Protein backbone atom coordinates (compact mmCIF):
# COMPACT_ATOMS: atom_id res chain seq x y z
CA UNK A 1 0.00 0.00 0.00
CA UNK A 2 1.42 3.38 -0.97
CA UNK A 3 1.85 5.86 1.84
CA UNK A 4 -0.60 8.73 1.72
CA UNK A 5 0.68 12.06 3.00
CA UNK A 6 -1.00 15.42 3.47
CA UNK A 7 -0.26 18.68 5.24
CA UNK A 8 -3.93 19.33 5.98
CA UNK A 9 -4.66 18.09 9.55
CA UNK A 10 -8.36 17.56 8.83
CA UNK A 11 -7.58 15.51 5.72
CA UNK A 12 -5.03 13.48 7.68
CA UNK A 13 -7.62 12.71 10.36
CA UNK A 14 -10.11 11.65 7.69
CA UNK A 15 -7.57 9.33 6.06
CA UNK A 16 -6.80 7.79 9.44
CA UNK A 17 -10.49 7.29 10.20
CA UNK A 18 -10.98 5.64 6.81
CA UNK A 19 -8.00 3.32 7.42
CA UNK A 20 -9.30 2.37 10.87
CA UNK A 21 -12.75 1.63 9.48
CA UNK A 22 -11.32 -0.42 6.60
CA UNK A 23 -9.07 -2.43 8.93
CA UNK A 24 -11.92 -3.19 11.28
CA UNK A 25 -14.10 -4.27 8.38
CA UNK A 26 -11.42 -6.67 7.15
CA UNK A 27 -11.04 -8.14 10.64
CA UNK A 28 -14.77 -8.68 10.85
CA UNK A 29 -15.14 -10.23 7.40
CA UNK A 30 -12.00 -12.31 7.01
CA UNK A 31 -11.19 -13.28 10.57
CA UNK A 32 -14.69 -13.53 12.00
CA UNK A 33 -13.96 -10.84 14.61
CA UNK A 34 -17.31 -9.93 16.22
CA UNK A 35 -16.11 -6.79 18.05
CA UNK A 36 -18.08 -3.56 17.75
CA UNK A 37 -16.39 -0.20 17.16
CA UNK A 38 -16.84 0.59 20.86
CA UNK A 39 -15.12 -2.66 21.85
CA UNK A 40 -12.23 -1.94 19.47
CA UNK A 41 -11.87 1.54 21.00
CA UNK A 42 -11.72 0.13 24.53
CA UNK A 43 -8.90 -2.28 23.66
CA UNK A 44 -5.20 -1.65 24.15
CA UNK A 45 -3.24 0.57 21.79
CA UNK A 46 -1.29 -2.30 20.23
CA UNK A 47 0.97 -0.23 17.98
CA UNK A 48 2.00 2.10 20.81
CA UNK A 49 2.70 -0.90 23.02
CA UNK A 50 4.87 -2.47 20.30
CA UNK A 51 6.86 0.77 20.00
CA UNK A 52 7.31 0.83 23.79
CA UNK A 53 8.53 -2.77 23.79
CA UNK A 54 10.99 -2.05 20.98
CA UNK A 55 12.30 1.06 22.78
CA UNK A 56 12.76 -0.93 25.99
CA UNK A 57 14.64 -3.65 24.12
CA UNK A 58 16.98 -1.04 22.65
CA UNK A 59 17.54 0.54 26.10
CA UNK A 60 18.39 -2.88 27.56
CA UNK A 61 20.97 -3.34 24.82
CA UNK A 62 22.52 0.00 25.80
CA UNK A 63 21.57 1.80 22.61
CA UNK A 64 19.73 5.09 22.30
CA UNK A 65 16.18 4.64 20.92
CA UNK A 66 15.17 6.60 17.85
CA UNK A 67 12.60 9.41 18.32
CA UNK A 68 9.96 7.32 16.51
CA UNK A 69 10.16 4.61 19.16
CA UNK A 70 10.03 7.05 22.06
CA UNK A 71 7.11 8.97 20.54
CA UNK A 72 5.04 5.78 20.28
CA UNK A 73 5.30 4.84 23.94
CA UNK A 74 2.07 4.38 25.80
CA UNK A 75 1.06 3.16 29.22
CA UNK A 76 -2.37 2.29 27.84
CA UNK A 77 -3.10 -1.41 27.95
CA UNK A 78 -0.45 -2.21 30.55
Amino acid sequence: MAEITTTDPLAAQQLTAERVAATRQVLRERMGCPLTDEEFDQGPDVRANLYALAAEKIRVQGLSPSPELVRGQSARGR
Side-chain angles (χ1 to χ4, degrees):
M1 173 183 234
E3 185 171 340
I4 302 171
T5 59
T6 181
T7 56
D8 179 1
L10 294 176
Q13 287 177 348
Q14 182 62 31
L15 290 172
T16 301
E18 289 174 6
R19 287 180 178 178
V20 168
T23 300
R24 290 176 177 182
Q25 190 61 33
V26 168
L27 286 170
R28 290 180 181 120
E29 290 174 359
R30 297 187 183 169
M31 302 192 75
C33 180
L35 297 177
T36 64
D37 283 343
E38 292 78 22
E39 291 169 321
F40 273 117
D41 292 339
Q42 292 171 2
D45 187 343
V46 175
R47 187 174 77 176
N49 288 338
L50 288 174
Y51 280 125
L53 289 171
E56 180 62 24
K57 184 175 180 178
I58 288 172
R59 274 193 289 277
V60 168
Q61 294 174 351
L63 304 172
S64 177
S66 69
E68 292 81 26
L69 292 176
V70 175
R71 190 175 341 131
Q73 290 184 7
S74 169
R76 187 177 170 208
R78 289 187 189 169

